[in-house]
Amino acid sequence: MEFHYPNGRKYTPVKNDSKVEKQEKKWSYGKRGMTLEEDINESNQYYLERGIAAIHKKPTPVQIVQVDYPRRSAAVIKEAYFKQASTTDYNGVYKGKYIDFEAKETQNTSSFPFKNFHPHQIQHMKAVLQQKGICFVLLRFSATDEVYLIDAEDLLFFWGRMENGGRKSMTKSEISERGHLIKLGFQPRIDYIKIIDYVYDFI
Amino acid sequence: MEFHYPNGRKYTPVKNDSKVEKQEKKWSYGKRGMTLEEDINESNQYYLERGIAAIHKKPTPVQIVQVDYPRRSAAVIKEAYFKQASTTDYNGVYKGKYIDFEAKETQNTSSFPFKNFHPHQIQHMKAVLQQKGICFVLLRFSATDEVYLIDAEDLLFFWGRMENGGRKSMTKSEISERGHLIKLGFQPRIDYIKIIDYVYDFI
């Protein structure tokens, strides 16, 4: 009898072992949070093209170790590592205001675990709020495809509860009470600017 | 007699040819704009630590082609290429306002050539201005170590002149007339926030 150790995914027997490995690896890197990211990028593109807002995803931070410079062709990075981001992933400008947010998704259905956030990102959110920037997170529950906007102040409230020994997550009901459910559409797919208009005061 | 073709650097004879090549290559990648970037990063760190502003350099955009996932250790990027940035390098928040800028330096002493800017960056500056963000460039003349802040509106004026068949640069006198010379200091080294306070209206 073969043992198939659990990794959270359905086991599918395949003959070619090396292929399985390759696919698994691709999945673990490429798929995590990809759908939400794609939806947000598409929405940002929509906003940009229509002059609604100029918001971009920051490039993935990479620590470059070795670069080759072949003659007559582009420099090739031969060794590099993924670095921990020191800020959130998205920022930009809307009606003169600084907009800053992080996007996260979970397979959980009843709560959003804080292990999705790095202390660096929390620190950055505090700095943005101190500078009176608009700061929030977009949380996606993938099982139900619900996306909530939660203001950073609220997130920090629950993060503080954890730091004081409380639960290591926000419950779904806390999120639906404090957060704002974003109706998903076709274009833009995640119209978070509409929620910003509603949630935040603009001069 | 040996000829040493000028490349703007002092010639130092070295026995090992391959070593010379390696050093030159390192220099051409690592040194270009490094001093200005370091000075700005240090200034941003100064602002961040004192709660004055939260402004960061964006990570270098990299197109990742191949990643290895060795068992029990961090993912290694084995092949990647530098990508053209679609925005400027620095952005963040100051007193609720969106701040966005690009930093460039030149060895020229009499003008600042536009070849230092990519059309993508110009496009991005237009989008930021349209959203009423604060947008500018920090230009450094390395020979004299002068750093000017030039508002994006002014840069776009001269860029437009080029597009209409005019000169492909801003002259030094145009820059000193339209721009704002930033007094260099010890901490922060480039106190551009002080100039922002002076140049832009805040509510």
Side-chain angles (χ1 to χ4, degrees):
Chain A
M1 188 193 164
E2 271 184 78
F3 279 97
H4 305 307
Y5 291 101
N7 61 358
R9 301 174 61 213
K10 195 180 160 187
Y11 176 76
T12 322
V14 184
K15 274 168 194 161
N16 185 338
D17 267 346
S18 70
K19 204 182 165 191
V20 179
E21 194 170 285
K22 207 178 164 189
Q23 283 182 335
E24 281 205 340
K25 280 168 178 177
K26 255 194 178 168
W27 181 85
S28 69
Y29 167 63
K31 254 303 194 189
R32 193 156 46 113
M34 206 54 176
T35 313
L36 180 60
E37 184 181 320
E38 280 176 348
D39 284 354
I40 292 171
N41 288 347
E42 184 274 344
S43 304
N44 287 343
Q45 190 62 30
Y46 176 94
Y47 295 143
L48 189 65
E49 282 167 6
R50 281 153 191 82
I52 295 168
I55 295 164
H56 294 268
K57 184 177 187 297
K58 292 188 180 184
T60 305
V62 156
Q63 178 71 49
I64 297 164
V65 175
Q66 197 207 327
V67 185
D68 273 12
Y69 299 85
R71 290 186 188 278
R72 283 177 239 276
S73 52
V76 191
I77 299 163
K78 300 296 278 182
E79 186 187 353
Y81 298 89
F82 294 103
K83 262 199 313 190
Q84 189 91 300
S86 56
T87 66
T88 48
D89 265 1
Y90 301 85
N91 73 359
V93 58
Y94 172 58
K95 293 183 183 170
K97 287 276 192 181
Y98 177 74
I99 307 292
D100 189 298
F101 65 97
E102 184 61 36
K104 299 282 187 194
E105 53 188 331
T106 186
Q107 311 247 3
N108 276 33
T109 52
S110 58
S111 70
F112 208 98
F114 280 129
K115 67 169 194 278
N116 284 289
F117 295 95
H118 307 295
H120 271 335
Q121 294 178 320
I122 300 293
Q123 204 54 44
H124 174 70
M125 289 178 194
K126 287 178 183 172
V128 170
L129 289 178
Q130 201 202 335
Q131 284 301 319
K132 303 190 195 311
I134 288 175
C135 190
F136 54 87
V137 289
L138 295 181
L139 301 183
R140 181 170 178 262
F141 288 95
S142 8
T144 50
D145 203 16
E146 292 169 290
V147 179
Y148 287 91
L149 182 151
I150 298 186
D151 184 65
E153 297 270 17
D154 289 320
L155 181 78
L156 290 173
F157 172 81
F158 293 118
W159 183 273
R161 180 177 66 181
M162 176 184 69
E163 286 184 328
N164 290 322
R167 54 180 300 142
K168 292 180 172 58
S169 65
M170 296 173 281
T171 67
K172 180 81 183 281
S173 68
E174 284 167 347
I175 289 167
S176 62
E177 197 182 307
R178 299 262 199 149
H180 306 271
L181 184 64
I182 304 180
K183 209 177 154 185
L184 304 182
F186 176 60
Q187 270 210 324
R189 290 188 218 166
I190 300 175
D191 196 0
Y192 64 88
I193 288 285
K194 197 178 271 176
I195 306 286
I196 289 180
D197 270 332
Y198 171 75
V199 175
Y200 300 94
D201 286 334
F202 279 88
I203 300 153
Chain B
M1 187 192 163
E2 267 185 77
F3 281 95
H4 306 307
Y5 292 99
N7 60 358
R9 302 174 60 213
K10 196 180 162 189
Y11 176 76
T12 320
V14 185
K15 275 168 194 161
N16 184 337
D17 267 346
S18 69
K19 204 182 166 191
V20 179
E21 193 171 283
K22 205 176 163 192
Q23 282 181 336
E24 279 205 343
K25 281 170 176 174
K26 256 193 177 167
W27 182 85
S28 70
Y29 166 63
K31 255 303 195 185
R32 193 159 43 118
M34 206 50 178
T35 313
L36 180 60
E37 183 181 319
E38 281 177 346
D39 283 355
I40 292 170
N41 288 347
E42 183 273 344
S43 304
N44 287 342
Q45 190 62 31
Y46 176 93
Y47 294 143
L48 189 65
E49 282 167 6
R50 280 153 192 82
I52 295 168
I55 295 163
H56 294 268
K57 185 179 186 297
K58 292 189 180 183
T60 305
V62 156
Q63 179 71 50
I64 296 164
V65 176
Q66 196 208 326
V67 185
D68 273 12
Y69 298 85
R71 291 186 188 276
R72 281 177 239 276
S73 51
V76 190
I77 299 162
K78 300 296 278 184
E79 186 187 353
Y81 298 88
F82 294 102
K83 264 199 309 191
Q84 189 91 300
S86 56
T87 66
T88 47
D89 265 0
Y90 301 85
N91 74 359
V93 57
Y94 172 58
K95 294 182 182 170
K97 288 276 192 181
Y98 178 74
I99 307 292
D100 190 298
F101 65 96
E102 184 62 36
K104 300 283 188 194
E105 52 189 332
T106 187
Q107 309 248 3
N108 277 32
T109 52
S110 58
S111 71
F112 208 98
F114 279 128
K115 68 168 195 280
N116 283 290
F117 295 95
H118 307 295
H120 271 334
Q121 295 178 320
I122 300 292
Q123 204 53 45
H124 174 69
M125 288 179 196
K126 286 178 182 170
V128 171
L129 289 178
Q130 200 201 334
Q131 284 300 320
K132 304 190 194 311
I134 289 175
C135 191
F136 54 87
V137 288
L138 295 181
L139 301 183
R140 180 170 178 262
F141 288 96
S142 9
T144 49
D145 202 17
E146 291 170 289
V147 179
Y148 286 91
L149 183 151
I150 298 187
D151 185 64
E153 298 270 17
D154 289 319
L155 181 78
L156 292 172
F157 172 83
F158 293 117
W159 183 273
R161 179 176 68 183
M162 176 184 69
E163 287 183 328
N164 289 322
R167 56 180 300 143
K168 291 181 171 60
S169 64
M170 296 174 281
T171 66
K172 179 79 183 281
S173 68
E174 285 167 346
I175 289 167
S176 62
E177 198 182 305
R178 297 259 199 153
H180 305 272
L181 184 65
I182 304 180
K183 208 177 154 187
L184 304 182
F186 176 60
Q187 269 210 325
R189 291 188 217 168
I190 300 175
D191 196 0
Y192 62 88
I193 288 285
K194 197 178 271 176
I195 306 286
I196 289 179
D197 270 332
Y198 171 74
V199 175
Y200 301 94
D201 286 335
F202 280 87
I203 300 154

